[in-house]
Structure formats: structure tokens, C-alpha cells
Amino acid sequence: GAGVSQSPSNKVTEKGKDVELRCDPISGHTALYWYRQSLGQGLEFLIYFQGNSAPDKSGLPSDRFSAERTGGSVSTLTIQRTQQEDSAVYLCASGTGTDQETQYFGPGTRLLVL
Amino acid sequence: AQSVTQPDIHITVSEGASLELRCNYSYGATPYLFWYVQSPGQGLQLLLKYFSGDTLVQGIKGFEAEFKRSQSSFNLRKPSVHWSDAAEYFCAVGTSGGYQKVTFGIGTKLQVIP
């Protein structure tokens, strides 16, 4: 029984480069969330996918951030023209998409922008 | 919009001592409440959750939490702390109705001393 997996586990990039972060949710989970955890901060909601519905992108901090979910399963979070303030741990979670679901989290991708 | 306050950023307890981590929330309707634990370099693991019913909720690893509507609180407790409990603990509130838009507190880092 695989949980949520994320890759890479760590990513170091130079300012201005684009990065892609991947999330594999638990099989059968229709809901998928992305969060950002900055040092000393709580988790900041970024984006939510549910089945084939339009995603809730209300948490994306700028138009440099985008995400897609192909085939209702794997999701990719893309950050274009990375800035130093993008350095954080990016967490993905998946759930059953029901009202009383529990979100199950992956181990995160630690992004460092130099 | 909902919000969560964890007033204690760091807590240090002796092994074997009791523990209480405080959490206050703000939400206009009946909240869904969660406690998660995050060990270093790991994702978040659900300790327990409250949706409805009995206001005293039992979780994994010997943790419990009590929902007190009058105080808007959902404090986490453990009668005897083990060294392996050292981690960061996050309280979260989710919306009832619709999908789980969860808001997390900033976390409480627990240190356990021998």
C-alpha cells in the first residue's frame, strides 16, 4: 500500500530557472492538494484538484506558479523563473474527495533557490 | 475564513511528563479539526481528527484531544511523553461542506529531555 510520493526529495536551483515538482497520490484518491511550508511558517495552501473539476488555484502566490494533474492522478507543480523567496518545502496531499476526508501527505520536496 | 492559532512555538518537556499543546480556531460554522505531527524531514502524519460526536477524540501514539466549542479550542494531550514524540505538531481546521480547505497553524515544536 503505497502512500503519497513526491520527487525529487531535494532540489537546488539557480535564481531564474524553472523547476518541476512531482506528486503521485494514493491510488484511487480523487482529491490532490499542494501546500508550501516556509521556514517558521505553517502550511500555506496553494492549489486543489478534485476529479475532473476545475482546480481551485486561489492559493497560488503569483503567475509564476502553475500546476496540472494529468489523467486524474499524477500532478506536477511548476515554478517559473524561480526566486529566492520560493525556497521552501512543497508538500502534496491526497484524499478521497469527500466532505469528511483525511488528507494524506507525502514527504515533501525541499526546494532551495540560490 | 477560518484561522488557527497555536500560541506556543516551542515546548520542552521531560520524558514521562504530561503534555498539552494548545490550539484555538476561528470558524463560523461547525469545524473539522485535525492534529498532525511532522518528524524532521518527513511529511505530516495524522494523529487524530474531530468531525462530530464525542468531543474527546482518541488518536494514535497515545494522543487525545478535546473539542471545546465554548472556548474554540482543540488542545492535544498525552499523559506521558516519550523521547520519540519530539517533533513538530500542527493543528488544523477544515471547512464543513464542500471539499476540505484546511488551514494549518504555524506549529509547535516539541523537545523532549531525558
Side-chain angles (χ1 to χ4, degrees):
Chain A
V4 178
S5 61
Q6 293 185 245
S7 61
S9 53
N10 291 280
K11 176 71 177 180
V12 181
T13 190
E14 294 178 348
K15 178 181 172 181
K17 300 284 189 183
D18 297 353
V19 295
E20 285 190 352
L21 312 180
R22 176 187 168 106
C23 172
D24 280 272
I26 292 172
S27 177
H29 278 187
T30 58
L32 189 147
Y33 303 79
W34 282 98
Y35 294 89
R36 179 169 68 176
Q37 185 178 25
S38 303
L39 191 64
Q41 304 294 315
L43 275 74
E44 174 189 8
F45 167 81
L46 296 177
I47 189 168
Y48 162 76
F49 294 92
Q50 166 64 315
N52 296 320
S53 302
D56 179 347
K57 305 179 182 181
S58 60
L60 294 178
S62 78
D63 59 8
R64 296 186 295 104
F65 287 72
S66 63
E68 59 180 27
R69 189 178 184 191
T70 52
S73 180
V74 172
S75 177
T76 302
L77 177 69
T78 301
I79 308 173
Q80 296 178 309
R81 306 180 302 282
T82 52
Q83 303 295 311
Q84 289 183 330
E85 60 263 29
D86 299 334
S87 297
V89 177
Y90 290 82
L91 291 164
C92 174
S94 71
T96 55
T98 57
D99 188 39
Q100 295 190 353
E101 70 174 3
T102 295
Q103 294 183 25
Y104 294 89
F105 283 81
T109 293
R110 188 173 299 272
L111 175 65
L112 178 61
V113 182
L114 301 176
Chain B
Q2 67 264 37
S3 66
V4 178
T5 301
Q6 292 182 251
D8 304 306
I9 306 298
H10 287 97
I11 282 186
T12 299
V13 299
S14 298
E15 191 169 13
S18 63
L19 172 70
E20 183 169 29
L21 302 182
R22 295 183 290 165
C23 173
N24 291 95
Y25 69 89
S26 174
Y27 181 58
T30 301
Y32 294 158
L33 296 162
F34 308 84
W35 275 99
Y36 284 85
V37 60
Q38 186 179 34
S39 299
Q42 303 295 313
L44 274 70
Q45 181 184 21
L46 181 72
L47 285 176
L48 47 78
K49 59 188 177 184
Y50 170 81
F51 289 146
S52 64
D54 193 346
T55 56
L56 184 62
V57 181
Q58 301 298 319
I60 62 171
K61 305 185 180 187
F63 286 92
E64 67 177 26
E66 186 170 11
F67 169 54
K68 293 186 177 180
R69 184 187 299 274
S70 62
Q71 299 176 19
S72 298
S73 69
F74 190 57
N75 294 348
L76 182 71
R77 300 192 295 249
K78 186 169 185 177
S80 177
V81 170
H82 188 262
W83 64 266
S84 60
D85 293 324
E88 191 154 21
Y89 292 79
F90 292 90
C91 180
V93 59
T95 55
S96 50
Y99 76 88
Q100 276 292 338
K101 193 159 188 177
V102 178
T103 300
F104 288 81
I106 63 171
T108 297
K109 187 163 288 187
L110 174 66
Q111 181 182 9
V112 180
I113 57 177

